[in-house]
Amino acid sequence: MDLNDKKILVVDDEQEIREVLSTALGHLGYETATAADGGEAIDLIDRRHREFAVIICDLKMPRVSGDQVVDFVARNHPIIPIIILTGFAQLDMALDHIRMGAFDYMTKPFKIKELALIVQRALRYRALKEEQSRYQEYLVERIREVTSELNNSVIQSVGALIMAIEEKDIYTRGHSHRVAFYASLMAENIGLSVEDKKNLEYAALLHDVGKIGISDQILNKPGRLTNVEYEIIKSHPGKEVKILEPLSFLRHILPIIEAHHERFDGTGYPNGVAGEDIPFMARIITACDAYDAMTSDRSYREPLSPAAALEEIRSGSGTQFDPRIVTAFIDTHRQLLREIG
Ligand SMILES: [Fe+2]
């Protein structure tokens, strides 16, 4: 609704003043609505605030007075300017109301010319405020866009780095991207919000970034790891947190990344947390990670078939994996097989 199509709300307990004001404003080309006291005015503004361009409000009214109307508008609809109507004796009070958020005041009796000027000024002020708030919204939106473009390019760079590291080793090639892909299918299946799905995909993509800090000999060692080597492997979630910590836009997904080797029964690492204490999204990544590890070729064993890997996931329900995630994974897997034929 254009500002010119809006009405001026006249609030005064004296019918005569309401009529004089409405007639005068009518002559000046404005449409008006009236309220006979503060209560009626607040009710009207509450229900139909979009209709009003400016409010002219008497201060002294029985029951609900003008200061309550000023307070209500300042709190709920600060875009609507309020002009206080006051007698000379109440000038101090009028100034107090301007401090509370009223736009200006007009003393009774008033001249039409004065009324015309003050209403014009109020309308100009309102138009400026609307312009300002539109500009602010535009700026906020623009900052959001730029930040998200920037964040995406950081994610892509880190993703490329991960790919480069995984490329060195035929056994882990594409692992993080596949885990992110499975996680995104799980997110859709579970019905996560767009925001959560994005966070889950980022966390899945970055879940092994800490392996950058672990030597290739240990990572690619054929056969069993010694206890010392295993302890080093177990340090990768902690390394992840250290590597990603400076990227403030990822800070909220660090607990998910850190917990991707926790087990539902509490025997995982690095913190040995169990059940619901493990972040929900970490529990999703754990299942996707395990499934991809089992179905990939490794230096020390042949890959499992999808059906055999799925059976392993099923048998880990309640120990390694959250039973709810296992159910969702079985569902998602069915869909995955259908899609890739
Ligand atoms: Fe890992």
Side-chain angles (χ1 to χ4, degrees):
M1 192 191 269
D2 195 277
L3 206 49
N4 294 325
D5 301 331
K6 293 183 196 265
K7 296 181 184 131
I8 296 179
L9 176 63
V10 175
V11 189
D12 202 302
D13 56 320
E14 286 177 60
Q15 195 186 351
E16 202 191 320
I17 297 199
R18 289 200 300 274
E19 281 173 7
V20 169
L21 271 169
S22 298
T23 313
L25 289 165
H27 285 313
L28 293 168
Y30 301 114
E31 255 195 88
T32 53
T34 56
D37 69 37
E40 199 187 324
I42 287 176
D43 182 52
L44 261 181
I45 298 162
D46 196 28
R47 287 186 292 115
R48 295 163 42 188
H49 57 92
R50 278 191 188 82
E51 289 177 31
F52 305 126
V54 174
I55 299 165
I56 300 179
C57 182
D58 187 22
L59 265 194
K60 269 197 158 173
M61 290 180 288
R63 296 182 298 277
V64 180
S65 64
D67 53 358
Q68 292 182 56
V69 180
V70 172
D71 187 57
F72 177 80
V73 173
R75 278 176 203 279
N76 301 289
H77 307 289
I79 196 95
I80 312 178
I82 288 204
I83 300 162
I84 296 291
L85 266 184
T86 170
F88 269 116
Q90 304 158 331
L91 261 186
D92 277 358
M93 265 166 75
L95 292 176
D96 281 346
H97 284 82
I98 288 177
R99 263 176 237 123
M100 274 169 64
F103 168 70
D104 205 345
Y105 69 92
M106 198 166 63
T107 46
K108 289 192 270 194
F110 51 84
K111 297 195 178 73
I112 296 271
K113 221 171 154 186
E114 188 191 356
L115 175 70
L117 275 176
I118 204 163
V119 169
Q120 264 174 26
R121 271 204 304 115
L123 284 170
R124 244 195 329 266
Y125 171 79
R126 168 146 191 186
L128 271 174
K129 270 188 120 176
E130 283 187 0
E131 182 61 40
Q132 187 190 32
S133 92
R134 269 196 297 273
Y135 188 60
Q136 248 163 12
E137 273 168 30
Y138 162 78
L139 279 183
V140 168
E141 193 42 47
R142 197 64 202 113
I143 289 169
R144 205 174 283 145
E145 276 171 26
V146 171
T147 314
S148 130
E149 279 164 22
L150 243 160
N151 292 353
N152 279 337
S153 67
V154 173
I155 292 282
Q156 273 165 16
S157 314
V158 178
L161 182 69
I162 290 167
M163 219 161 13
I165 290 158
E166 288 178 349
E167 278 297 309
K168 285 197 306 180
D169 173 8
I170 55 161
Y171 299 110
T172 56
R173 193 168 289 169
H175 170 70
S176 298
H177 283 82
R178 282 194 302 274
V179 173
F181 174 61
Y182 299 148
S184 78
L185 291 181
M186 285 284 280
E188 265 160 40
N189 207 330
I190 294 170
L192 292 188
S193 67
V194 174
E195 188 67 20
D196 282 347
K197 182 177 179 233
K198 192 179 74 189
N199 287 330
L200 178 64
E201 283 172 9
Y202 283 173
L205 185 65
L206 303 174
H207 78 278
D208 269 347
V209 82
K211 286 190 176 167
I212 292 170
I214 294 177
S215 80
D216 290 0
Q217 283 96 320
I218 298 179
L219 284 178
N220 305 326
K221 182 179 171 182
R224 276 187 78 84
L225 296 172
T226 65
N227 282 347
V228 175
E229 288 165 341
Y230 189 48
E231 285 306 313
I232 293 173
I233 289 275
K234 276 159 70 176
S235 70
H236 79 272
K239 287 194 186 350
E240 256 127 52
V241 173
K242 280 217 177 71
I243 291 170
L244 299 172
E245 228 162 24
L247 301 173
S248 59
F249 74 100
L250 293 177
R251 219 160 268 166
H252 59 292
I253 63 169
L254 292 187
I256 304 169
I257 294 176
E258 190 187 15
H260 78 273
H261 282 291
E262 299 292 358
R263 292 170 53 108
F264 199 67
D265 61 8
T267 61
Y269 63 87
N271 298 312
V273 283
E276 305 276 317
D277 290 336
I278 306 168
F280 181 66
M281 293 201 222
R283 285 177 255 153
I284 299 177
I285 294 175
T286 308
C288 300
D289 187 19
Y291 177 81
D292 188 67
M294 288 190 282
T295 49
S296 310
D297 203 354
R298 287 288 149 106
S299 51
Y300 46 90
R301 59 146 178 76
E302 291 287 301
L304 292 186
S305 69
L310 192 65
E311 206 35 58
E312 286 294 318
I313 299 272
R314 204 194 303 264
S315 71
S317 176
T319 50
Q320 185 175 359
F321 310 114
D322 177 349
R324 280 191 306 158
I325 301 295
V326 171
T327 309
F329 193 87
I330 292 167
D331 253 20
T332 309
H333 190 264
R334 212 171 283 139
Q335 182 197 339
L336 175 72
L337 288 186
R338 258 204 312 272
E339 267 173 37
I340 58 177

